[in-house]
Amino acid sequence: MTATTQANQDSLSLHGFFSQGYLYSKGNDFFGESTDGSWEYYEAGAGGRYRVAPYLSLAGQFFARDAGRGDNGSVRTDYLYADLRLAQSNNAGTSIRVGRVRNPFGFYNSTRDVFFTRPSILLPQQYLESFGVRELLFSSDGAQFHSYWEGDNHHLEFTSTFGKNDKISSDTVTNMFGAGSSLNGDAELQSPVFAQLSGGLAGDRWKAALSYYNTTLAFSNTSIVASLDATLMAASLQYNAEKLSLTGEYSLLSSNSVFVIPAVNLVSTGNSKTETAYIQADYRLDNKVTAYTRFDHRLGNRERPNETDSSILTLGARWEPRKQWRFAAEIHGIRGTAPIPAIDNRNTSLAERSELIVLMAGYRF
């Protein structure tokens, strides 16, 4: 092999993954008709990174996800951007990315699409997994500033995204506002801004992050004009020992809404605060098997805590016989209706308690 051929191979890296899940529940449906057993949960993606020059690289990924009525399995561009290095030294670097970029938020938002990089099969409530609004959080079309610094015993990283206005898909509109014809219309995500400061000690024995997200959702049809200004903030902390990992995250969602019905000259405003927190313990039995448990709580309205709170207790385990394979199983005990995918339970009243079993197998290369 010539030196030129080897250099070309080193500049290109490819990856892919596929995972298939099975869900069975009592009380409510999740990602399909899970009360009868559902296979309507899979994820698949393929992408790569190409180094055009020492200071410029291109990265992208195509992704498909089926999750009941909330995600229909269509192939989409998960991310696709150019990464231009502005400065580089032995222990620090700064770059700017332009295109469709991944947004860091909390520990897991920017890697939520890959089964192997999630803390469990289903994410905690903080990541709004059951709301079917993934496209509002995972990536943005715009520019991203990224900088890192590595010391002898610690490291810091800062990332900020400035997104452009973008239309929201009809699937997400349906997931947000319901399937009623009176709420069909046009929706736009306006000026999304993400920022995250993260860091850790040597070997990531301790990791921490502070995350911020602000955007405005604009909606209109022939009878309603509405806007929702939302700010989401999160604090994340993780401790890693030889056998045990403890992870905790807290998030606060503040929103201000305005609804206008021009036909009757009606204007309605409102504001709300939603708090979410979880703590998860992972115990590594050996280098292949990990058991985990998580308690996850969401308070939908501080003024009405007993009516709007929801909790999930999760017990699970994962097995990785080889680097390319992962198998996992988990049981969720759910109290409250906030974590329930409303779109999978149309025309039915939601049960206040649910039990859910999820199995998943995944392969990556």
Side-chain angles (χ1 to χ4, degrees):
M1 180 181 295
T2 67
T4 301
T5 302
Q6 181 64 53
N8 289 339
Q9 289 185 351
D10 291 342
S11 65
L12 176 65
S13 61
L14 300 173
H15 68 267
F17 56 89
F18 176 80
S19 54
Q20 175 66 59
Y22 172 80
L23 300 93
Y24 177 76
S25 64
K26 291 185 178 180
N28 296 290
D29 282 323
F30 293 79
F31 299 168
E33 297 178 355
S34 59
T35 48
D36 295 324
S38 172
W39 293 94
E40 290 187 63
Y41 184 28
Y42 72 77
E43 299 160 318
R49 188 178 188 90
Y50 179 67
R51 191 179 65 211
V52 180
Y55 55 85
L56 178 64
S57 61
L58 305 175
Q61 178 174 284
F62 295 101
F63 180 70
R65 181 176 189 262
D66 186 18
R69 290 173 174 167
D71 226 327
N72 61 13
S74 60
V75 178
R76 54 181 177 255
T77 303
D78 221 13
Y79 58 87
L80 182 63
Y81 61 84
D83 188 329
L84 177 64
R85 186 185 306 164
L86 302 178
Q88 181 76 47
S89 67
N90 290 335
N91 62 349
T94 299
S95 64
I96 186 169
R97 300 161 180 166
V98 179
R100 177 165 294 178
V101 296
R102 292 178 293 177
N103 295 313
F105 190 89
F107 282 141
Y108 304 110
N109 187 62
S110 61
T111 60
R112 66 191 298 164
D113 52 354
V114 184
F115 172 43
F116 292 83
T117 56
R118 296 198 294 261
S120 53
I121 301 174
L122 301 182
L123 287 167
Q125 293 185 76
Q126 170 179 315
Y127 296 93
L128 305 177
E129 187 79 344
S130 64
F131 286 75
V133 295
R134 180 183 180 280
E135 72 169 308
L136 305 183
L137 296 171
F138 178 74
S139 61
S140 299
D141 293 332
Q144 184 177 83
F145 175 84
H146 175 254
S147 184
Y148 72 91
W149 179 76
E150 296 179 353
D152 293 337
N153 297 306
H154 55 279
H155 63 88
L156 289 173
E157 187 173 0
F158 177 74
T159 306
S160 58
T161 302
F162 301 90
K164 70 178 186 66
N165 294 358
D166 201 4
K167 293 290 185 182
I168 300 173
S169 70
S170 58
D171 288 340
T172 298
V173 172
T174 300
N175 294 341
M176 291 171 58
F177 297 110
S181 60
S182 63
L183 287 175
N184 292 334
D186 297 321
E188 185 178 56
L189 188 69
Q190 298 179 342
S191 304
V193 175
F194 284 83
Q196 184 182 79
L197 176 65
S198 61
L201 300 180
D204 277 341
R205 189 173 187 84
W206 286 96
K207 292 172 57 180
L210 295 173
S211 308
Y212 172 87
Y213 174 41
N214 177 261
T215 191
T216 297
L217 303 176
F219 176 82
S220 64
N221 61 16
T222 56
S223 57
I224 298 174
V225 177
S227 67
L228 175 70
D229 183 75
T231 298
L232 181 62
M233 297 181 289
S236 310
L237 183 65
Q238 185 177 80
Y239 170 75
N240 295 296
E242 180 181 357
K243 291 284 189 178
L244 177 68
S245 291
L246 296 174
T247 305
E249 296 193 272
Y250 166 82
S251 68
L252 173 63
L253 172 62
S254 303
S255 61
N256 296 289
S257 59
V258 178
F259 291 86
V260 180
I261 303 178
V264 294
N265 197 28
L266 176 64
V267 178
S268 176
T269 61
N271 58 76
S272 66
K273 293 184 182 294
T274 299
E275 296 172 275
T276 307
Y278 76 87
I279 184 167
Q280 177 165 328
D282 293 73
Y283 186 77
R284 290 170 284 279
L285 302 175
D286 54 35
N287 60 357
K288 295 181 179 179
V289 179
T290 300
Y292 54 89
T293 183
R294 182 173 69 229
F295 179 72
D296 186 349
H297 188 72
R298 180 182 181 87
L299 180 58
N301 189 322
R302 289 176 175 176
E303 305 301 321
R304 296 182 293 119
N306 294 330
E307 300 175 43
T308 64
D309 69 334
S310 59
S311 300
I312 305 176
L313 178 62
T314 301
L315 300 174
R318 56 182 178 266
W319 173 48
E320 296 185 10
R322 288 180 173 80
K323 182 180 179 180
Q324 296 87 357
W325 289 95
R326 173 182 280 192
F327 302 89
E330 55 194 46
I331 301 173
H332 301 264
I334 303 168
R335 182 179 65 80
T337 59
I340 310 302
I343 196 169
D344 286 319
N345 294 272
R346 291 188 297 189
N347 304 319
T348 61
S349 58
L350 297 179
E352 293 185 2
R353 294 182 180 272
S354 305
E355 288 76 42
L356 174 66
I357 297 174
V358 191
L359 310 175
M360 181 163 273
Y363 174 78
R364 63 178 172 179
F365 64 86

